[in-house]
Structure formats: structure tokens, C-alpha cells
Amino acid sequence: MTDGATATTPTTPTTPATPATPATPATPRRRRLSGWTGVLLVCLTVLALLFLTPTVGVILSALKSTRDIAFGTLWAIPRTLDLSNFAVALAHPSVKFYFVNTFLVTAPATAGSITLGILAGYVFSKLPFRGSEILFLVIVSGMFFPPQIILIPLFRLFNRLGLLDTLWPMIIVHIAMGIPICTLLMRNFFATVPAALREAAIVEGASEWRVLTGVALPVSLPALAVLGTLQFTWIWNDFLWPLIFTQSDNKRTIMLGIVSLRGQYTVAWGVQGALSLLASLPTLLVFLFFQRYFIAGMTMGAVKG
Amino acid sequence: MKQKERFWRIALLFLPLAVFGVFVVWPLLDTFYYSFTNWNGFSRDYRFVGLDNFAGVVTDRLFTNATVNTLIWTALAIVLPTAGGLTLALMLDTQVPGAKAFKSVFYLPICLAAVVVGQIWIWIYQPDWGLLNAAITAVTGSPPAFAWLAEPESALYSVIVAWSWQQMGLAMVIFLAGLTSIPTYLLEAAEIEGASRGQRIRHVVLALLRPATVVAVALSVINSLKAFDILFIMTGGGPFHSSDTLAMYMYSESFKKYRIGYGSSISVILFLMTLSVITVYFRQLKKLDELYD
């Protein structure tokens, strides 16, 4: 082993399988398909099918009538493709509000939390000061606490401000609760921008703002993608804050909407399934397109301190 | 120069710190304050009761019940998703074909909302036409009868299974990240020295995965202290408080019984529990950094 390259490069399967050259940076861990691989493949396939079953269940429910489900055929493959549950779900008068509200909360809260994370992350990475390490740790630890512990004071605060039963508390709280992860990731990303680059720009008369927007941000696009997918998913999927801060039906977000529609006996199971699928669609699409960033964000947020 | 830097520090930090301070730190201090009062949420006059709330917690059987449930939840949330995630990661960190697709399948549930996950699993546990009872009938031949979420002895565990299904992917990627940082030459050296596959996994891989394990375990604990949505949706803490966790119990004391002071003292306890886990976690992360630097 000549250098530490193998430790950082993930896998390079294109390396020719020459057994006796330990000097190549990435020697495949095993060189042939053995019986082990076959066993592994079978195990993984079984596990993957088990893992997919719950999700498939929801898809099937969306394609069936209440009668079908009540008679125990939820888990059978439907013979005809019946999309009426989706039509019913979308035609429900409240559902439109739910989706619009969720979007009106998710978009500004995602953008807001990332913006504040950029500002703070830049200072912690490029303009450290006495005690900034501790301040940074305090902010980042906010990521780990159960949000319920600040629920009562927040409720009281927004009540006093007269903002209960509007979308504002959700937007504001999601921005505030997103600051820890956004600051953490942006700081780690800005840390890879060489200090010399910033100094050179400053000496030439550029302001910190110019350095931030012209030098640091352009190289941090992957971090923005990571945070965008993560924040979007979390905020879209949130249930707790709308539960606390909203009362009237036309202020609810989609996740709370699903639960409250479930309480009404008029809404059929299949319609609930269809609505769950529709509600998951945005995050599923984000996941499929930005999988790499999503996973990177989850691991970085978890592993890097 | 120095003055300019100071200006920018303040200018850039002002907004994030103001928002974080007003909407996270201050409410947290407020929670501490309420925990020493008997406030009910609306009345103007409330008084300080000192440590009465915390003394009350000690003798509150429902609090003890919620604590025990949180511990059970945490223990199983460590064992099931973490062990499962480790197993999956070890299986996928081979040259097995389709590893990428498998990874996505195991990871997918993480991006689903708790509401949707709860919905899915309510249907799996449904007594009359749920998949679980149908599967049991298919195997044993006896008609399905068990209402998994409505029986005190099974409600909590049924939710934990759903939770593990969702969380396993997270542990898996943490372990996969840990595995890619293990240099291949160490494994090759062990192989040349005549170590069997089992020995290699135990003495090389698992030994070097210890930091990743600490991270995965700490995250499981932190996430289980947060667990709320999925319980709220699947059981609401019931039947008969059998699936109440601390987060759930705090919610119902504060927002259903309007015992804000008491609920706040439960929050404070939850805060202190999380704080102790985070301290361990940050310390281990530091070690992890030193290890890889």
C-alpha cells in the first residue's frame, strides 16, 4: 500500500482483477463470484421483498374499494386498474388546502433554514473567534433534542403574537429547528475552501459578503443539494408542529390532514391509501432523484461532529 | 482589517443567532421555569411550587410506566435497527450484484412520513384483514383474531417493529460509511495470515467498526427519546397507557390534562436524559476524528 487512497475512494470496480498486485490503489476485496455471493444474493432478495411489503400494501389499498378491503382481499393483486380512489382523494374539498399549505410551509422554511445555516456556517468556518467552538457545539446539539421539550413555551409565544392557526409558526419553527443541521453541514463544507483563497480575495479589496457569495457558495453546491433534500423531506413530513399550531381544517398540512380525514368514517380505506401515496409522492421523487445527496446528508449529519 | 472581520462576524451571525435564541434557547429556558410552577396553561395566577413537580414524578405510576416503556423502546431500538443495519451493511459491503438497488430498498422507508408509516402498519396489524393475521392463518390454519395494536401486551412492541422497519436503513448507511473507511489491505493481510471469513469479520471489521457502532447506538437512543409521531398515530399511547413513552406522556399531561407545570418537569427530565447521551456521543465523535486523522 503506497498511500491512503483506498481508505477514501469508495469502490472502483473497473480495476482489472490482477491478483498479485497489492500496489494498485483499489484491489477488489474478492475476485470471483463464489457460493457465498449466491447465498448473500438470495438472503438479500428475501429481505428486500419483506422490506417492500408494507409499501406495496399501501399501493394495493389505493387501487381497491372498501368492500374489497373489508372482505380480506387487500393483499391480492387487483385484476383491473381502478384509479377512482385517487380521484376521490383529490376531489375532497380539504385536500387542496392541505397540499397548498404544506407547500407554503415547506418552501420558505427550507430556503430560510439553509440561508441562516450558510451565514452561521461561514462565520464558524472562516471567521472563528474566542468561544466560537463552544457556540457552534451548542447550536449543533440542538439537532438532538426532542422538539417536544420546547413545545409549551412556543405555543404560548405564538399565542401571544396572535399567530396561532396560521402557517407562520410552522415556517418560523422549522427555520429555527433547521439551523443546527444547516450550520453544521455548511461549516464542514466551507472548511474545504482554502483559507488562502479567502485572504487573497480580501487583500484585493473584496468584502466578506463577496467571498461568501462569489467564492465559498459556488463550491458548496453539493452541500446545498444535500440540505435542500433533507430539509424538504423533514418539513414536508412533519406532523408535530401542525398538530400543535393549527386548529381549522383549511390551515392543516397534508400529514395532519391524512390523520384527521382518517377520523371521519366517510373516508374509505382505499382513499386514505391513495392520499398517503399522493402525500408521499414529493418526498419519494426527491429521494429518487437526489438519493445520493439525501444519504450523504443523513450520514454527515449523523457522523460528522 | 480586524475591525472589518468583527463587523462581518456580527452581521452574519445576527440573524441565525437571533432566530435560534428566540425560538429554541429561550423556550428551553422557559420550560425549566414552568417546571417549578403549577401553571395550568390559561390562568393568570400560578405559583412556584419548588421541586414539587419533580417529587410528584417520582411517585407517579404513569410516569414510571412511561419511563419503563421508553427504556424498552430504546433497548429494542438499539438492538433491532442497529443489529439489522449492521447485518445489512456487512452483506452489502461485498461484491454482491445489485448492491445499489438493495441499498435503496432498505433506505426508502426513511424518507416516508411517520404518518404514512403508521398508516401502513395499522393495516398490517388490522385484526380482520391485516397481513400479519392473514399470514398467521396461512401458516397455522386457525382463524385470525389477534388485535395487535389494541392489546396492552402487544401494542408497544408492534409499534417498535414498525419503527425498526423505518430506522434500519439509517443504521445501515452509517455502518456502510464506516466500512468504506476500513483499508482493504488490513483484510487482505488477515486473509494471508490465514484468518477465516468469520475471524476476519470479528477481529478486523467489527473491531474497526466500533466508532460507527457508537454513533449508530447513540443515534438510536436519541431518536427513541424523540419518538412521538408514530406512537401518536398508531396507538396514541394506549391501550391503558401500555404504549406511553415519556414524549407521549408529556404531551398528554400538558395538552390533554393542561398540567403545564408538570408536563414541563417531564420535559426537563427528557432534556437531561438527552444531554447525557449527547455528551457521550460528542466524546466518541472526537475519538473517531482522532482515529481517522
Side-chain angles (χ1 to χ4, degrees), chain B residues 177-198:
Chain B
L179 283 170
T180 42
S181 63
I182 296 178
T184 30
Y185 63 83
L186 277 182
L187 289 166
E188 280 158 11
E191 196 173 359
I192 292 165
E193 295 286 324
S196 72
R197 183 181 300 273

Side-chain angles (χ1 to χ4, degrees), chain A residues 1 29 36 51 54 58 61 127 143-144 148-149 151 153 156 198 202 208 237 262 291 298 302-303, chain B residues 1 5 9 27 31 34 39 93 104 107 111 120 123 165 185 197 219 222 226 228 233 255 281 285:
Chain A
M1 236 0 78
R29 210 164 282 175
W36 263 99
F51 245 78
V58 163
S61 77
L127 297 167
M143 218 158 79
F144 301 110
Q148 292 91 335
I149 61 181
L151 207 143
R156 215 174 81 110
R198 172 185 159 264
I202 297 280
E208 294 290 345
N237 286 345
R262 202 174 66 197
Q291 210 185 113
M298 285 302 248
V303 182
Chain B
M1 199 70 166
E5 279 190 6
R9 242 175 238 139
T31 297
Y34 290 137
W39 194 43
D93 191 52
S104 306
Y107 202 73
C111 79
I120 299 177
W123 287 348
W165 172 75
Y185 63 83
R197 183 181 300 273
L219 275 189
I222 289 163
K226 283 186 190 178
F228 175 81
I233 286 143
F255 281 83
Y281 176 69
L285 276 183

Side-chain angles (χ1 to χ4, degrees), chain B residues 212-236:
Chain B
T213 313
V214 172
V215 170
V217 167
L219 275 189
S220 299
V221 177
I222 289 163
N223 282 338
S224 15
L225 290 175
K226 283 186 190 178
F228 175 81
D229 305 20
I230 196 164
L231 276 160
F232 185 92
I233 286 143
M234 289 182 74
T235 65

